[in-house]
Amino acid sequence: MRYFEAETAILLHHLAIKFSGGLKGVPNIGYLESALQQIKNDDIIGINFQSKHTEEKYDFNY
């Protein structure tokens, strides 16, 4: 599985809000980095892709 870093997530966020609107910036980059790091940890999330995808959606929405 391929993962990306916080800088890439921020770039994707900026591109998304460019087309859909929203606030620019990241209030706390530590939260973003933590969520991206947890996605990489199969011991916490499990190896099952569906579980990992569900966890990703939860982390980024809360």
Side-chain angles (χ1 to χ4, degrees):
M1 184 164 293
R2 294 174 53 193
Y3 301 101
F4 52 85
E5 299 300 321
E7 295 79 18
T8 305
I10 293 168
L11 174 64
L12 292 171
H13 177 257
H14 288 311
L15 291 173
I17 63 173
K18 179 179 178 181
F19 294 103
S20 63
L23 298 175
K24 292 183 179 180
V26 178
N28 187 331
I29 195 165
Y31 292 155
L32 174 61
E33 290 172 340
S34 176
L36 292 172
Q37 189 61 37
Q38 287 182 17
I39 290 168
K40 296 177 186 178
N41 188 346
D42 288 335
D43 292 335
I44 293 174
I45 298 168
I47 298 172
N48 181 313
F49 177 78
Q50 183 63 36
S51 297
K52 194 170 243 193
H53 179 69
T54 301
E55 182 71 21
E56 288 172 5
K57 291 174 91 174
Y58 179 81
D59 282 346
F60 286 118
N61 287 323
Y62 292 99

